[in-house]
Amino acid sequence: MPKHTLTALAMSSLLLLLGPAQAQAATPASAPAVQNSDLDAPLFYQLLVGEMELRAGQPGVAFQVLLDAARRTGDSELYRRVVNIALQARAGDQALIAAKAWRESVPSSIEAHQTILQLLAALNRPGEVAAPLQSLLNLTPEAQRNAVLASLPRLFQRSPEPARVYSALAPVLESASQQAATRMMALLVQARMALSANQADKALALTNSAAQDFPNADEVALMAMDLMPERPAAEALISARLQRQPDNHVLRVAYGRTLAGMQRTADAAREFRLVTQAAPDSAPAWYALGALELDLRHPEEAEKALLTYLSKLDKLPADDAEAHKDSRQQAWLLLAQVAEMRGDLRGAEGWLAKVDAPQRLMEVSYRRASLMARQGQLAKGRALLQALPAERDEQVRAKLMAEAQLLREVQQWEAALAVLEQAGQRFPEDANIVYEQAMMAEKLNRLEQMETLLRKVMALKPDHYHAYNALGYSLAERNLRLEEAKSLIAKALQYAPSEPFIVDSLGWVEFRLGNHQEALRLLRQAYASRPDAEIAAHLGEVLWTLGEREEALRIWNEGARRDPKNEALRETRQRLKAR
């Protein structure tokens, strides 16, 4: 029997319901001659009843009637309609029944197999995935199989049981990796699934295998970037790739962004400097470099990069420039911070005056409040923040956090803690608010309160590595419970293996334990990635203790140039009587 489309069915039903006169009016005068369909009367009425039941709000009845019709006709479009009816009724199991019937009726239908796979993922039934996935790959033309494999991580990204998903898919992916056409993609998809299942070592091994067979594939390097936060050894694959092709700017930009996300600001800035030197017309690279130089407290370099970025935007066609409108306003905000860092408060206000995007209101207001506080008008700055809209929870939270940060900037620890406690009452389960309360308690030397709050953060969010690091570092700083401090910091590093501030904490606790050479190694690593003034204070003290006093002074001077008011650096030099 020929296939009958639902569009034709809908028109036939409409004509029947309208009656002769209305039907004649609904038919265009120039319509071609009607060709009789092979659709028999029982099937026609079955389809019509199904559609009428659906319109009458009876999706369950419509599903059964139309599924029976689909089985009788083998019509893929009708099966698609039945699946959609079940999905609209949020009846996932019924949708899967229809999809399986579709596959049995039309075994060569790629769409039927894809639908089954999608429904199994949505229903979290990974144990049933292997067979339909293998069938789908067998049906799919060889040139399109990589696309099927590449879709799998996204398809299962919301699964609450990634380990089960990986276990179910691994045999099919292993089989696909033995075929030349799909080897690279199968290895990388398996690596990504393993990473999602917290099997980072397996993911690294699979990525290494892909790199050996496909050394010049950007996809392998991109997978290595995703692995870097968990397994720092993956970075060697990226370095080797960029050494072979140093002008691969797209890959270098992605590498720079990965480094920035890992708080390795100095390393990220290095990569973006290389991009701007080799491809000076790349506007996004100048923007990224400006933000990183600002984070490194290099105001002159940040200003140059950001102004270059804006000049590149000015040369773009109007449509392209409009697409960059938001990032242009963000560049003005960064330039305001540059001016503030240099003490040019009027210049900072000038940049802020350019920003008129409503979604930037909080950022602009905070920067204005900061300028007021620096001029002795703290109360006025707080009033500015307090007057901001607070119609939604996120606005209330943002206002309170901004006010607390403003007070923290001017070292009003008690007032900052009071604001954060107010935020905590409104949002008691917000781990980040509790964490900020702990940091203020630490500033006030309320160590018991700080530890209680940090333990609460760990309970609310077990992977909140900043909490483990903060407690471990606070103990090490006070020479208390050093082995426990080291254990806490090591746990933080499990979640963020290369985060410079956590590496700094581990170096500092090793120093407190008397392991000076290990402390030196770790602190050099941390300072190379993030030349922060506080890390400089720690590294300098270890060098000073080991007799490397000239290098210690050099490191301290570098830190002081970046952050002249850093308390840790000043205290260290005063304590050691190092001028």
Side-chain angles (χ1 to χ4, degrees):
M1 181 181 290
K3 295 183 179 180
H4 309 284
T5 67
L6 288 173
T7 303
L9 170 65
M11 179 58 76
S12 299
S13 303
L14 176 62
L15 294 178
L16 181 64
L17 293 170
L18 285 174
Q22 292 90 340
Q24 184 177 4
T27 305
S30 58
V34 174
Q35 295 183 354
N36 292 328
S37 168
D38 290 335
L39 182 66
D40 59 31
L43 178 59
F44 174 83
Y45 283 107
Q46 185 177 11
L47 297 176
L48 183 59
V49 166
E51 293 295 334
M52 292 176 68
E53 291 288 353
L54 183 62
R55 290 188 183 186
Q58 299 293 327
V61 177
F63 172 83
Q64 293 295 342
V65 171
L66 293 177
L67 177 58
D68 181 68
R71 283 176 168 145
R72 290 179 58 195
T73 63
D75 189 308
S76 286
E77 189 163 350
L78 190 51
Y79 273 116
R80 190 181 304 115
R81 173 69 167 155
V82 175
V83 170
N84 286 335
I85 288 172
L87 290 176
Q88 289 168 8
R90 298 187 178 183
D93 289 332
Q94 282 71 26
L96 183 60
I97 289 171
K100 288 181 176 180
W102 183 2
R103 179 189 60 189
E104 292 169 5
S105 182
V106 192
S108 62
S109 171
I110 291 177
E111 186 180 358
H113 286 79
Q114 289 174 330
T115 303
I116 291 173
L117 202 61
Q118 291 164 358
L119 289 169
L120 289 172
L123 294 169
N124 189 35
R125 291 162 68 170
E128 303 174 35
V129 163
L133 174 58
Q134 188 61 66
S135 297
L136 175 60
L137 288 171
N138 293 340
L139 284 172
T140 302
E142 186 177 90
Q144 299 172 22
R145 288 175 189 167
N146 280 329
V148 173
L149 294 172
S151 70
L152 295 175
R154 184 173 62 254
L155 186 62
F156 290 93
Q157 65 183 350
R158 295 185 179 179
S159 171
E161 301 175 288
R164 284 187 62 208
V165 172
Y166 174 58
S167 177
L169 293 178
V172 181
L173 293 171
E174 178 61 29
S175 175
S177 71
Q178 303 306 312
Q179 302 172 29
T182 54
R183 176 166 175 75
M184 183 184 76
M185 186 58 67
L187 286 170
L188 294 180
V189 170
Q190 197 174 353
R192 194 166 297 283
M193 293 291 194
L195 182 59
S196 297
N198 293 321
Q199 298 186 34
D201 289 332
K202 178 66 174 178
L204 180 58
L206 290 161
T207 306
N208 279 325
S209 295
Q212 290 175 3
D213 292 350
F214 308 95
N216 295 321
D218 285 355
E219 295 89 343
V220 177
L222 293 172
M223 182 65 227
M225 289 176 203
D226 289 341
L227 267 169
M228 274 176 56
E230 296 284 340
R231 291 295 180 268
E235 188 170 5
L237 300 176
I238 307 159
S239 299
R241 177 77 180 94
L242 288 172
Q243 284 178 356
R244 290 192 299 272
Q245 192 180 13
D247 59 346
N248 189 332
H249 306 314
V250 173
L251 188 62
R252 194 176 295 279
V253 165
Y255 179 39
R257 288 175 177 161
T258 301
L259 291 168
M262 296 171 64
Q263 299 297 313
R264 292 173 53 184
T265 311
D267 296 333
R270 177 197 65 222
E271 296 304 317
F272 280 105
R273 286 190 201 106
L274 290 172
V275 174
T276 56
Q277 290 166 10
D281 290 332
S282 174
W286 284 109
Y287 174 83
L289 179 59
L292 291 165
E293 296 286 17
L294 177 61
D295 201 23
L296 289 167
R297 303 187 70 85
H298 296 160
E300 289 79 10
E301 291 86 345
E303 182 178 53
K304 177 183 176 182
L306 291 167
L307 290 175
T308 303
Y309 169 71
L310 291 173
S311 72
K312 302 295 180 187
L313 292 190
D314 290 338
K315 297 176 183 178
L316 292 175
D319 290 345
D320 291 343
E322 181 64 23
H324 290 84
K325 182 177 179 179
D326 185 65
S327 55
R328 183 192 292 272
Q329 301 223 350
Q330 184 61 34
W332 291 337
L333 278 167
L334 294 177
L335 283 165
Q337 293 181 59
V338 169
E340 186 177 349
M341 188 180 293
R342 297 169 70 173
D344 181 9
L345 304 189
R346 180 176 295 180
E349 179 55 45
W351 287 113
L352 292 175
K354 289 177 170 288
V355 183
D356 58 4
Q359 66 269 28
R360 299 289 180 188
L361 177 62
M362 173 58 73
E363 295 170 87
V364 173
S365 299
Y366 176 76
R367 295 255 58 91
R368 286 202 170 110
S370 178
L371 292 175
M372 292 172 185
R374 291 189 58 168
Q375 298 174 78
Q377 301 175 4
L378 176 61
K380 188 176 179 181
R382 292 183 70 179
L384 174 64
L385 295 175
Q386 292 168 358
L388 291 171
E391 299 171 358
R392 301 187 302 274
D393 279 352
E394 58 266 28
Q395 291 176 319
V396 175
R397 184 188 185 281
K399 282 178 57 174
L400 291 169
M401 295 299 282
E403 186 178 358
Q405 179 60 28
L406 180 68
L407 291 163
R408 186 174 181 171
E409 273 189 11
V410 295
Q411 301 184 4
Q412 296 278 343
W413 316 126
E414 193 79 57
L417 180 57
V419 173
L420 288 167
E421 287 174 343
Q422 182 184 349
Q425 291 172 2
R426 179 72 180 266
F427 307 100
E429 302 300 309
D430 191 313
N432 290 326
I433 290 177
V434 180
Y435 175 80
E436 292 299 331
Q437 290 179 43
M439 295 300 94
M440 289 303 97
E442 193 271 341
K443 289 291 186 183
L444 291 165
N445 209 31
R446 300 176 186 173
L447 303 186
E448 186 175 341
Q449 182 185 8
M450 176 203 71
E451 181 166 353
T452 300
L453 288 166
L454 288 175
R455 298 286 184 191
K456 181 179 178 181
V457 174
M458 297 172 196
L460 288 171
K461 197 171 187 294
D463 61 348
H464 196 298
Y465 54 84
H466 292 300
Y468 299 102
N469 179 56
L471 182 53
Y473 176 77
S474 180
L475 293 172
E477 180 69 4
R478 292 166 175 81
N479 244 342
L480 301 171
R481 295 151 50 192
L482 293 179
E483 289 298 337
E484 182 185 354
K486 183 176 178 179
S487 176
L488 286 162
I489 296 166
K491 187 164 187 177
L493 277 173
Q494 291 176 4
Y495 293 111
S498 299
E499 215 277 1
F501 288 114
I502 304 178
V503 175
D504 166 67
S505 296
L506 185 59
W508 194 235
V509 77
E510 292 286 9
F511 176 65
R512 293 296 202 197
L513 287 165
N515 304 323
H516 292 175
Q517 290 300 325
E518 178 64 5
L520 181 61
R521 182 187 71 80
L522 290 166
L523 290 168
R524 284 193 188 280
Q525 175 188 332
Y527 188 71
S529 295
R530 178 88 182 199
D532 179 81
E534 189 159 336
I535 299 177
H538 296 154
L539 176 56
E541 182 163 349
V542 174
L543 290 165
W544 188 270
T545 303
L546 292 172
E548 302 290 339
R549 300 200 167 185
E550 287 189 13
E551 186 178 0
L553 290 170
R554 179 181 64 78
I555 295 293
W556 282 332
N557 289 335
E558 285 179 0
R561 282 195 295 272
R562 288 192 175 91
D563 189 359
K565 297 181 180 180
N566 185 270
E567 295 177 17
L569 188 55
R570 287 194 293 178
E571 184 278 329
T572 299
R573 298 186 77 159
Q574 289 172 1
R575 176 166 43 81
L576 297 176
K577 299 179 181 179
R579 297 191 177 185

